[in-house]
Amino acid sequence: MWNDTVITRILGIRYPIIQAPMAGGLSTPELVAAVSDAGGLGSFGAGYMSPQSIRVAIRKIRQLTKNPFAINLFIPQRDLHDVNREAITSMKQYLRSLKDIPPEIGEEISQLSLDHTPFDFSEQMAVIIEEQVPIFSFTFGCPAAPDIETLKARNIRVMGTATTVAEAFELEKAGVDAVIAQGSEAGGHRGSFLDSDDSSLVGLVALVPQIADEIKVPVIASGGIMDGRGIVAALALGAAGVQMGTAFIPARECGAHSQYKEAVLASHRQKNVLTTAFSGKPARIIQNTFITSMKQYQGSIPPYPVQNALTTPIRNWAAKNSRPDFMSLWAGQGSPLSREYGAGDLMAVLIKETSQVLGSLS
Ligand SMILES: Cc1cc2nc3c(=O)[nH]c(=O)nc-3n(C[C@H](O)[C@H](O)[C@H](O)COP(=O)(O)O)c2cc1C
């Protein structure tokens, strides 16, 4: 059967379908549990959360499902002290000057102090270990081999994100159990950590077989996969599983703002672009007013996580006031294929479609 792969065996799941971690409140415990209960792997994006909130979320997921799930973190890359202060001041001024941004939000941006990263990565990791989560996944970098060894010694499976063959090699060398190959179609942030230039923008059809040929650990295909056709294609390319983010955004269990969900479902005529405008790190998104306004900015956009912190007051304001034109509408190039199902129903549809597509090919 197509669903019995090395990934289902390693992760202890029934179907090689992983719901992508989506930090920022999208991958709620309810979404994670619904996918894991349906036989896939639900993943909780905890990158922006305090260690204490991560612990609470893990316990909530455990109350909701008995099945395996993953917790995902961001590998820290940059010391905020490296960032040019003038670039920050100039960006603050520009954001304040944007049409529609109320003065009190402009004031909040001006007052932002960016002297420390919000949460300590090693404290976040300590929670992952103490709570003995079944699976840990990560993006934006590669932990040191001894750290991965510590996780594996506690029986925690480890999966890392690669956008190139070189990154996949590095992850394998560090000891991961599986590599998530993130194609350039993927929604949200690029996981690139060796190079973040155009050479890391490899489409999934080219990326998956190259990585599968070069490394021994299993490969999970991620980016633009929205239905059974995409799953079959990924398996044919040599992946042992898929990780899907955008497809799950419209699900009722997903924590996205209702207008964000509507924007994804109605994205047929919208531009889907890669931008650093919201966070300082390249990310794929549905273009809106904020992004077009940022194109006029003459200076250089401060790197992640500084720009991410600078635009947070705008995004919070946009969510409170139902202004999708200023929300970060992260979505992959497949978003026009999105459908409005609950997470469990979407899983059932994906499983059925995959069998049907395979049947029609044979
Ligand atoms: C809204 C959103 C948030 C994301 N957040 C994370 C995250 O916190 N951690 C992570 O490893 N990947 C994250 N990703 C990337 C996904 O893991 C995955 O690569 C991507 O969703 C695949 O492309 P697709 O959206 O076309 O399915 C995010 C993607 C989206 C759409």
Side-chain angles (χ1 to χ4, degrees), residues 15-330:
Y15 299 98
I17 302 174
I18 300 171
Q19 161 256 311
M22 293 185 278
L26 274 75
S27 47
T28 59
E30 289 75 15
L31 177 63
V32 173
V35 173
S36 289
D37 275 347
L41 181 76
S43 313
F44 185 81
Y48 298 121
M49 290 169 64
S50 70
Q52 185 47 30
S53 320
I54 296 173
R55 198 185 300 280
V56 170
I58 294 170
R59 293 184 179 176
K60 178 85 198 278
I61 294 167
R62 282 208 157 106
Q63 277 171 8
L64 296 172
T65 183
K66 297 278 162 280
N67 289 349
F69 60 90
I71 302 291
N72 175 274
L73 289 179
F74 301 150
I75 306 302
Q77 274 179 299
R78 187 179 295 273
D79 183 347
L80 286 182
H81 297 287
D82 294 347
V83 179
N84 179 330
R85 298 275 134 184
E86 277 162 29
I88 295 178
T89 309
S90 156
M91 179 54 72
K92 281 183 170 180
Q93 275 162 3
Y94 188 75
L95 293 174
R96 286 190 73 153
S97 74
L98 288 179
K99 191 171 159 284
D100 286 357
I101 298 300
E104 66 277 14
I105 301 302
E107 194 47 37
E108 193 183 331
I109 294 168
S110 297
Q111 299 299 324
L112 282 174
S113 140
L114 302 164
D115 286 339
H116 54 88
T117 35
F119 303 114
D120 185 87
F121 175 70
S122 55
E123 289 175 13
Q124 291 177 320
M125 278 305 292
V127 175
I128 303 286
I129 294 169
E130 284 159 20
E131 294 291 321
Q132 272 220 284
V133 303
I135 297 140
F136 170 65
S137 73
F138 61 86
T139 187
F140 301 170
C142 181
D147 293 341
I148 294 185
E149 205 32 64
T150 305
L151 290 162
K152 289 170 73 173
R154 310 274 170 122
N155 241 350
I156 299 173
R157 298 290 187 188
V158 184
M159 315 194 292
T161 309
T163 62
T164 60
V165 173
E167 288 174 353
F169 258 133
E170 184 135 334
L171 295 175
E172 180 178 52
K173 209 168 62 192
V176 299
D177 294 296
V179 167
I180 301 157
Q182 188 190 41
S184 57
E185 305 90 332
H189 286 103
R190 306 289 308 138
S192 307
F193 58 93
L194 292 181
D195 289 303
S196 62
D197 60 16
D198 288 354
S199 64
S200 301
L201 283 174
V202 187
L204 202 69
V205 171
L207 184 65
V208 169
Q210 289 183 64
I211 294 184
D213 282 353
E214 295 287 344
I215 63 173
K216 290 186 189 68
V217 296
V219 180
I220 296 158
S222 189
I225 300 171
M226 301 296 292
D227 55 26
R229 293 171 296 184
I231 296 172
V232 171
L235 297 175
L237 290 168
V242 298
Q243 176 161 297
M244 302 165 62
T246 304
F248 284 95
I249 294 176
R252 68 173 171 278
E253 297 91 341
C254 172
H257 193 283
S258 57
Q259 287 189 294
Y260 180 179
K261 295 182 181 188
E262 280 168 28
V264 169
L265 286 166
S267 55
H268 302 75
R269 280 176 191 79
Q270 302 303 316
K271 279 193 183 161
N272 182 292
V273 293
L274 263 181
T275 183
T276 55
F278 270 111
S279 68
K281 190 184 239 321
R284 193 168 279 293
I285 196 162
I286 298 170
Q287 182 163 289
N288 61 4
T289 306
F290 178 78
I291 293 166
T292 42
S293 312
M294 286 298 291
K295 284 188 178 156
Q296 269 115 57
Y297 182 62
Q298 302 289 325
S300 60
I301 294 178
Y304 178 91
V306 175
Q307 181 71 358
N308 198 56
L310 290 175
T311 63
T312 296
I314 294 180
R315 286 182 282 159
N316 290 343
W317 163 78
K320 251 191 228 134
N321 294 279
S322 295
R323 294 288 302 260
D325 44 343
F326 284 88
M327 290 177 190
S328 44
L329 306 170
W330 315 120

